């Protein structure tokens, strides 16, 4: 009988009852944080270069880290909704930590290696078979300040989202 009661509680819990994807607060928080971070890059790029670069809306690298903003908003929203002591928050927290570590580690170093390789290829004589190869993408990772800024943006997005959820629940 204990399992029937726990199953019934899980089915009728607020987090799993007849919710639609349009009211999924953690998902919306993550998507909004991503959109804000990418928009900041888009407008910053225009401000610096005085030209619109549509690639900034979907590209990686730059300030702030949209990867960090997304996973931090997701983890915080899950914590607010499900509790910070649960296994779902723990999984989201570890995911966020791995993504942010990877952004400043592996992906940053891969981008720096791409810069060096592009320079080497650029300096090759024109008759070399690799002289006409496409350049490698250099903006792959993030510096620690870019990751921190993305993380703070994610936290702010989740907090504001939580305040909106609380305000709409009290009506």
């Amino acid at each position: 009988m204990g399992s029937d009661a726990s199953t019934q509680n899980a089915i009728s819990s607020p987090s799993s009852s007849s919710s639609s994807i349009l009211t999924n607060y953690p998902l919306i928080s993550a998507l909004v944080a991503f959109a804000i971070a990418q928009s900041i890059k888009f407008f910053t790029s225009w401000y610096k270069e005085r030209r619109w670069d549509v690639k900034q809306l979907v590209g990686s690298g730059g300030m702030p880290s949209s990867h960090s903003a997304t996973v931090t908003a997701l983890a915080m929203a899950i914590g607010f909704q499900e509790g910070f002591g649960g296994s779902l928050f723990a999984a989201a927290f570890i995911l966020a930590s791995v993504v942010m570590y990877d952004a400043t580690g592996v992906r940053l170093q891969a981008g720096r290696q791409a810069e060096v390789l592009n320079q080497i290829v650029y300096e090759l004589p024109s008759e070399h078979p690799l002289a006409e190869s496409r350049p490698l993408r250099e903006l792959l990772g993030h510096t620690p300040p870019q990751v921190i800024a993305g993380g703070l943006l994610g936290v702010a997005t989740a907090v504001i989202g939580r305040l909106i959820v609380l305000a709409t629940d009290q009506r």
Side-chain angles (χ1 to χ4, degrees), residues 35-164:
I36 292 171
Q38 291 300 105
S39 297
I40 290 170
K41 290 184 217 182
F42 180 70
F43 288 108
T44 302
S45 170
W46 175 84
Y47 182 76
K48 287 180 182 176
E49 301 172 21
R50 295 292 184 215
R51 67 177 183 85
W52 296 109
D53 184 4
V54 180
K55 292 178 191 172
Q56 291 293 326
L57 290 174
V58 293
S60 60
M63 173 68 94
S65 166
S66 57
H67 292 88
S68 299
T70 303
V71 295
T72 304
L74 178 66
M76 290 298 294
I78 287 171
F80 286 135
Q81 182 171 299
E82 305 292 332
F84 289 95
S87 59
L88 192 55
F89 172 73
F93 177 80
I94 295 301
L95 170 71
S97 299
V98 168
V99 167
M100 294 167 80
Y101 177 80
D102 181 64
T104 58
V106 175
R107 289 189 315 114
L108 180 62
Q109 293 306 315
R112 289 180 177 163
Q113 287 176 358
E115 286 179 47
V116 171
L117 290 171
N118 285 338
Q119 185 63 37
I120 290 169
V121 169
Y122 177 75
E123 293 175 5
L124 290 173
S126 59
E127 62 273 0
H128 193 282
L130 293 176
E132 297 299 319
S133 62
R134 250 183 46 215
L136 299 171
R137 286 184 51 217
E138 296 176 4
L139 275 179
L140 300 173
H142 295 282
T143 63
Q146 292 170 339
V147 169
I148 291 168
L152 292 173
L153 173 62
V155 169
T157 303
V159 167
I160 291 168
R162 180 65 176 169
L163 294 174
I164 291 169

